């Protein structure tokens, strides 16, 4: 009689993969290597982030109609975006703690339900103040979804494929963005502006369908769930801010530099996303900005950039990938602000590399932040650092707005390059984690 194999230790080492999935070769080898449960987790995270993006873009796309309906000035409309990003930092930190304490899937469900409910509520707002409150509450779910979904998938993915797997999850942001543009075009073509903006927010109920499927089909990675149950320090903010001691390395240095990294990348991103269309329209007189043609170039570049960045973060390493696209994103800023007047076709086409570079730099974030923290505080660390960076990074486009009065939008846009410089600086304090088994 054969003896049973000894029990495996409860570690974060990836589970043995069935032979048919072991090689992970081919264009979709990373997806096969996840196994059935991992692919369901991938589907839940991909759908959650796509719909997160969809609900987020309901505001920018309806901003003109909202401003006219409520009689808002530019400061009031800008505050709607700012409050979403700032509150998302709180939502991301709370969701990270929940992910460590109650599980990844449960936290994912809570974030999706939160952003869906309050996106729909925005469509019922009767005044600006109510809309502002609903948008802030939407930010709670918006901030938490990405971090929780990324961790859920990272704990199923192998070290070999983790970068491209998380890059594919990140690409769903472009999918949700494109879906929002399509629905916006249809809704505003069929209904007047006073009703259309409400309908756009009401379509934010779409994530309810995802919640039903995730609740029935998706589970946490077994080893991560077991480690969470046995940890005494799960979901602890004190742990991610604990300084190192001789023989007992802490996480304070990691947390501080990860926040700086996230601040730089997102500061640069939101500077470009917020001000490039305005720059092209007001200083370049490019009338097609904000229409389907411009958005097609930008979104296509973003989608391919996410996938390419995910591949490169596995090939080059996490730090080199971020360094590369920080440099290229800064070059895009300089290109936009120095191309001679009259070259509108060139400016329009440059939407593709702009979307490509400013998205590819994000592809490594899901894997990198997951690998920087141990299982017990992975959600707490990733949720806090990513979303704190998002909130602080929201200051960058505001600064550009103030500088634009004296420098012009084009001159002030160079400030966005400072964000990418901060990201490159932050990498000097963080280790390379490519190939690291989660532990």
């Amino acid at each position: 009689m054969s003896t049973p194999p000894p029990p495996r230790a409860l570690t974060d080492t990836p589970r043995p993969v069935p032979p048919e999935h072991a090689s992970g070769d081919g264009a979709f080898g990373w997806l096969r290597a996840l196994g059935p449960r991992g692919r369901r987790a991938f589907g839940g995270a991909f759908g959650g982030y796509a719909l997160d993006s969809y609900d987020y873009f309901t505001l920018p796309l309806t901003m003109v109609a909202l401003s006219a309906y409520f009689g808002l000035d530019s400061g009031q409309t800008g505050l709607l975006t700012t409050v979403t990003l700032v509150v998302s930092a709180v939502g991301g930190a709370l969701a990270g703690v929940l992910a460590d304490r109650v599980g990844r899937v449960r936290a994912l469900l809570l974030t999706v339900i939160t952003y869906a409910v309050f996106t729909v509520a925005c469509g019922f707002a009767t005044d600006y103040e109510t809309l502002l409150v609903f948008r802030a509450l939407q930010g709670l779910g918006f901030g938490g979804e990405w971090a929780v979904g990324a961790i859920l998938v990272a704990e199923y993915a192998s070290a070999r494929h983790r970068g491209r797997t998380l890059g594919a999850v990140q690409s769903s942001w472009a999918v949700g963005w494109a879906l929002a543009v399509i629905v916006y075009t249809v809704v505003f073509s069929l209904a007047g502006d006073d009703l259309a903006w409400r309908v756009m927010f009401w379509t934010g109920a779409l994530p309810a369908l995802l919640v039903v499927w995730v609740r029935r089909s998706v589970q946490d990675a077994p080893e991560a769930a077991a480690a969470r149950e046995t940890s005494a320090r799960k979901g602890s903010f004190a742990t991610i801010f604990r300084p190192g001691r001789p023989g007992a390395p802490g996480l304070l240095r990691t947390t501080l530099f990860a926040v700086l990294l996230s601040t730089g990348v997102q500061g640069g991103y939101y500077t470009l996303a917020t001000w490039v269309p305005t720059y092209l329209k007001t200083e370049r007189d490019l009338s097609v900005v904000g229409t389907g043609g411009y958005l097609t170039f930008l979104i296509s570049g973003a989608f391919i950039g996410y996938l390419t960045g995910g591949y490169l973060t596995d090939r080059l390493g996490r730090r080199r990938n971020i360094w590369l696209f920080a440099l290229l994103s800064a070059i895009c800023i300089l290109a936009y602000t120095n191309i001679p007047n009259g070259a509108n076709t060139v400016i329009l086409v440059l939407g593709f590399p702009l979307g490509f570079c400013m998205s590819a730099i994000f592809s490594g974030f899901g894997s990198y932040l997951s690998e920087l923290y141990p299982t017990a505080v992975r959600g707490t660390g990733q949720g806090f650092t990513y979303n704190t960076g998002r909130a602080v990074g929201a200051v960058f486009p505001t600064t550009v707005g103030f500088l634009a009065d004296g420098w012009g939008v084009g001159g002030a846009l160079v400030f966005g390059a400072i964000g990418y410089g901060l990201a490159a600086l932050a990498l000097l304090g963080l280790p390379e984690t490519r190939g690291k088994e989660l532990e």
Side-chain angles (χ1 to χ4, degrees):
M1 180 181 296
S2 61
T3 58
R8 286 187 294 122
L10 296 178
T11 70
D12 284 297
T13 303
R15 299 174 306 289
V17 181
E20 65 269 25
H21 304 304
S23 68
D25 294 330
F28 294 96
W30 58 268
L31 186 61
R32 293 193 300 271
L34 286 171
R37 293 176 66 173
R39 286 194 290 272
R40 289 195 294 272
F42 174 85
F46 188 97
Y49 197 48
L51 292 171
D52 195 17
S53 170
Y54 178 92
D55 281 10
Y56 173 78
F57 278 107
T58 53
L59 177 63
L61 290 170
T62 59
M63 192 75 83
V64 173
L66 278 171
S67 298
Y69 186 86
F70 290 115
L72 307 179
D73 58 32
S74 58
Q76 289 174 308
T77 54
L79 184 59
L80 288 168
T81 298
T82 300
V83 75
T84 303
L85 298 177
V86 171
V87 176
S88 73
V90 179
L94 293 177
V97 172
L98 283 174
D100 288 334
R101 295 189 178 184
V102 305
R104 313 323 191 193
V105 173
R106 289 180 181 177
L108 179 65
L109 290 172
L110 287 172
T111 61
V112 172
I113 290 170
T114 299
Y115 74 65
V117 166
F118 288 108
T119 298
V120 173
C122 287
F124 292 99
T126 56
D127 53 52
Y128 172 73
E129 290 74 19
T130 302
L131 179 63
L132 188 65
V133 170
F134 285 154
R135 191 64 184 178
L137 293 172
Q138 188 263 0
L140 289 174
F142 167 72
E145 194 286 332
W146 176 84
V148 176
I151 295 165
L152 172 67
V153 176
E155 291 173 339
Y156 274 105
S158 67
R160 175 186 175 190
H161 297 301
R162 192 172 295 120
R164 69 198 75 180
T165 303
L166 272 297
V169 172
Q170 196 90 39
S171 73
S172 64
W173 180 265
V175 174
W177 187 4
L179 179 61
V181 171
I182 292 170
V183 173
Y184 161 80
T185 302
V186 172
V187 170
F188 275 78
S189 297
L190 298 177
D193 286 5
D194 287 354
L195 175 62
W197 72 265
R198 293 187 184 275
V199 174
M200 275 297 294
F201 282 112
W202 291 338
T203 61
L206 287 172
L209 300 175
L210 177 71
V211 167
V212 174
W213 180 79
V214 170
R215 180 68 182 84
R216 298 181 60 180
S217 305
V218 181
Q219 298 173 303
D220 288 359
E223 284 83 353
R228 187 182 68 250
E229 292 300 323
T230 58
S231 174
R233 297 186 180 276
K234 58 187 178 182
S236 168
F237 280 118
T239 300
I240 68 171
F241 286 104
R242 179 173 291 115
R245 302 187 304 275
L251 292 170
L252 176 62
R253 176 188 174 91
T254 295
T255 298
L256 294 179
F257 279 100
V259 167
L260 182 62
L261 173 66
S262 183
T263 297
V265 170
Q266 297 193 79
Y269 174 87
Y270 285 113
T271 296
L272 292 171
T274 302
W275 287 106
V276 163
T278 300
Y279 165 70
L280 294 176
K281 185 174 183 179
T282 60
E283 298 190 17
R284 294 287 183 169
D285 298 319
L286 187 60
S287 61
V288 296
V289 172
T291 66
Y294 174 78
L295 293 175
T296 297
F297 277 98
L298 190 64
I299 295 171
S300 298
F303 181 75
I304 297 174
Y306 284 128
L307 297 178
T308 304
Y311 174 79
L312 290 177
T313 199
D314 280 335
R315 295 284 293 181
L316 302 177
R318 309 331 185 197
R319 299 168 80 231
R320 287 181 180 177
N321 182 72
I322 295 173
W323 261 323
L324 172 65
F325 287 106
L327 174 62
L328 292 178
S329 295
I331 290 174
C332 280
I333 296 176
L334 296 177
Y336 265 92
T337 54
N338 286 283
I339 288 178
N341 288 328
N344 286 355
T345 301
V346 177
I347 290 290
L348 181 64
V349 173
L350 277 176
F352 185 90
L354 172 67
F356 183 94
C357 294
M358 63 193 277
S359 298
I361 195 171
F362 279 105
S363 295
F365 264 64
S367 53
Y368 196 27
L369 295 180
S370 293
E371 291 159 353
L372 288 173
Y373 289 94
T375 298
V377 291
R378 184 167 296 127
T380 305
Q382 185 156 333
F384 177 84
T385 56
Y386 185 83
N387 287 285
T388 299
R390 173 187 278 161
V392 179
V395 173
F396 281 66
T398 303
T399 303
V400 170
F402 284 112
L403 294 176
D405 291 337
W407 297 4
V409 177
L413 266 177
V414 178
F415 186 77
I418 295 176
Y420 293 111
L422 286 177
L425 181 64
L427 289 171
L428 298 176
L430 293 170
E432 175 57 60
T433 59
R434 180 180 60 162
K436 179 180 179 180
E437 302 292 353
L438 297 186
E439 52 183 71

